[in-house]
Amino acid sequence: MKTNTAISRHHAGPPLLSLAVVHTLLFVISVAALRLLAHPAAGSQVLNPYGPPEAARTFFAANPRALQVSAFFLFGSAVPLAIYAATVLSQLRFLGVRAAGTYIAFTGGLAASFGIAASGLCSWALSIPEATTSAAMTRVLHFMTYLCGGPAFAAGFGLLAAGVSITSFFGRLLPRWLVWFGMLIAVAGELSTLGLIWLPMTVAIPVTRFGGFVWLIAVGVALPKRLTEQNS
């Protein structure tokens, strides 16, 4: 007489929740470091690359240490995001998802991670005294910091959110609200690229960034880590 037994397998890999929390904390520390360590007399600590070039140059020249510390943590935040992208690909495949969306999510996650890393490195370069002696060099590095950490990051993160959300919808792996929230983040991420030709669309970048923190953590909690199979 044959009997059916349930075999439960656990995904082998770093927990998504921990990676999402570490990524979020490193980014928050990066922002906080620039605010707390910057010289109060140097002007605004939240600088718009489209603002007055001389104000930005003065700020960067006066705060090399604050820039270095902030850039260090910003660059560091790219690492757990890249690991998150690889882990979520592995976890979705473990759960039986074979759709191309898993690789789209992985590619998007890597692109977002590379964007943050490049933004951190460009920000660090602004701490070099020679970089701030030239207004043109300062402006170029400032825009590269923004472009890599803004539109480039958001477009990649949008692909990550879309890939995970769509495959999870068809596989019924995530709550419906979380799927739609992920799709909202994905749309915001892709729309943010329109800011390159129409400035008001840059408002989609913080939506992607800060909404993305919540989405990453929520997926880390909700995505199943165990797979149960029937063995007869």
Side-chain angles (χ1 to χ4, degrees):
M1 180 179 179
K2 295 183 178 180
T3 59
N4 291 333
T5 58
I7 299 177
S8 180
R9 295 191 294 139
H10 190 278
H11 176 255
L16 292 175
L17 176 59
S18 298
L19 293 170
V21 170
V22 171
H23 166 68
T24 302
L25 286 177
L26 288 174
F27 180 85
V28 171
I29 293 172
S30 170
V31 175
L34 188 58
R35 289 179 176 272
L36 296 175
L37 299 178
H39 196 282
S44 174
Q45 295 170 336
V46 182
L47 291 169
N48 184 344
Y50 293 96
E54 184 57 29
R57 192 195 68 78
T58 301
F59 176 82
F60 296 138
N63 295 289
R65 190 59 179 170
L67 283 169
Q68 289 174 356
V69 174
S70 176
F72 170 78
F73 284 105
L74 180 60
F75 180 82
S77 71
V79 177
L81 183 59
I83 300 173
Y84 189 105
T87 303
V88 80
L89 165 65
S90 173
Q91 196 161 324
L92 288 171
R93 304 287 289 181
F94 169 79
L95 293 170
V97 179
R98 297 292 182 265
T102 58
Y103 294 104
I104 293 173
F106 176 62
T107 301
L110 286 186
S113 174
F114 290 156
I116 293 176
S119 179
L121 294 176
C122 289
S123 179
W124 190 93
L126 282 166
S127 71
I128 301 173
E130 290 79 4
T132 52
T133 57
S134 166
M137 176 67 73
T138 302
R139 193 158 176 81
V140 169
L141 286 174
H142 193 188
F143 263 103
M144 288 303 298
T145 299
Y146 157 72
L147 291 172
C148 293
F153 158 79
F157 196 91
L159 292 178
L160 169 64
V164 172
S165 299
I166 292 173
T167 55
S168 296
F169 173 78
F170 289 107
R172 298 181 180 180
L173 299 174
L174 292 175
R176 186 66 60 89
W177 71 267
L178 187 52
V179 169
W180 289 113
F181 183 47
M183 289 307 301
L184 175 64
I185 298 299
V187 171
E190 303 315 310
L191 287 178
S192 69
T193 60
L194 292 176
L196 296 173
I197 55 175
W198 189 41
L199 195 58
M201 288 308 300
T202 57
V203 71
I205 295 174
V207 172
T208 308
R209 171 85 68 189
F210 296 105
F213 291 146
V214 177
W215 180 81
L216 287 172
I217 292 171
V219 170
V221 172
L223 191 65
K225 303 173 186 63
R226 290 187 176 275
L227 181 64
T228 302
E229 299 175 331
Q230 296 295 326
N231 185 25
S232 56

